[in-house]
Amino acid sequence: MSGHTTNGDGTDGASPGEFWDDFYGAGERVWSGEPNAALVRETADLAPGSALDLGCGEGADAIWLARQGWRVTAVDVSRIALERGAERARRADVADRIDWQRHDLAESFPRGVFDLVSAHFLHAPSPVELPRERILRDAAAAVSPGGVLLVVGHAGPPPWAADHGHDDHPPLPTSAEVLGSLGLPEQEWEPLVSGEYRREATGPDGQRAVLEDAVLKLRRLSG
């Protein structure tokens, strides 16, 4: 999935949409088509409801959520990625459960509130600028009372980053640093998970590696 929306001028003069369309257009498929491991693990105890998938890329997470009974709004800046995801959702017979929306999250954000807001790997390559903290605060604001915010990011750049133009990441925050940057009122949120987790992963060209993810899961308290 892309998880790479921007508010800058893109790279080499390209707009954010053009940059990520070029990224996805370079091949028939970029990612594995499997849902992110943290999503599967951290939603196992949640009753299906409405979900917002930010930076959905080719739609693996959105399709998996829809198969579990969620109604999903799937968001990305790349038209190619969204079209690819929508086609795969049709083949998976869950097209009626997913609303695909194109947004540069630095410029616009989906309307509504959701029982689950999921943001996986909202990182951008240099020199693309990404107001990640602001986007994640918008994500928190979109969580309904009793709902869950799930933020998963790289704790370090994957080894294949340089091969795909992502070799100059800014320092990547820990889960505790992400929580601090959100500035959420402690009386309104319950931390459920905050930590770093290792997992096996496959890169865009089939490379295998063990990566470390920063995982933050919060419940918005009712009241």
Side-chain angles (χ1 to χ4, degrees):
M1 69 187 60
S2 67
H4 305 89
T5 52
T6 73
N7 73 336
D9 294 329
T11 300
D12 297 330
S15 70
E18 290 169 338
F19 178 85
W20 290 110
D21 278 348
D22 287 345
F23 176 80
Y24 282 104
E28 293 184 2
R29 187 177 74 177
V30 174
W31 307 116
S32 69
E34 298 297 322
N36 281 297
L39 178 77
V40 175
R41 181 182 67 243
E42 301 301 341
T43 61
D45 61 342
L46 303 181
S50 59
L52 175 61
D53 181 9
L54 298 173
C56 67
E58 295 168 313
D61 282 2
I63 291 168
W64 184 85
L65 285 168
R67 283 174 164 164
Q68 312 312 307
W70 293 83
R71 302 180 309 279
V72 186
T73 298
V75 174
D76 205 275
V77 72
S78 168
R79 293 187 188 279
I80 290 176
L82 291 169
E83 290 169 359
R84 198 169 287 173
E87 175 57 30
R88 291 175 180 171
R90 285 190 289 270
R91 295 202 300 265
D93 200 27
V94 292
D96 60 334
R97 303 195 67 83
I98 306 176
D99 177 20
W100 304 91
Q101 295 186 15
R102 183 177 182 272
H103 290 270
D104 178 344
L105 293 173
E107 303 294 336
S108 63
F109 199 89
R111 294 181 179 180
V113 293
F114 303 86
D115 300 313
L116 169 67
V117 177
S118 173
H120 276 68
F121 308 114
L122 282 172
H123 304 295
S126 179
V128 172
E129 294 182 7
L130 177 72
R132 186 173 186 262
E133 291 183 3
R134 177 164 64 81
I135 292 169
L136 293 180
R137 287 193 291 269
D138 289 342
V143 178
S144 63
V148 166
L149 173 66
L150 177 61
V151 179
V152 180
H154 295 301
W160 50 78
D163 296 334
H164 290 268
H166 305 169
D167 56 340
D168 191 16
H169 276 288
L172 295 168
T174 65
S175 56
E177 290 169 338
V178 173
L179 177 59
S181 72
L182 293 175
L184 300 174
E186 291 184 5
Q187 69 274 17
E188 296 180 13
W189 292 85
E190 176 189 5
L192 301 175
V193 176
S194 179
E196 281 59 54
Y197 293 81
R198 294 171 67 84
R199 62 179 172 90
E200 292 186 354
T202 302
D205 298 323
Q207 315 95 312
R208 299 294 297 174
V210 175
L211 306 182
E212 188 172 49
D213 297 333
V215 180
L216 179 64
K217 180 181 177 183
L218 307 172
R219 185 182 304 279
R220 188 168 203 162
L221 300 177
S222 303

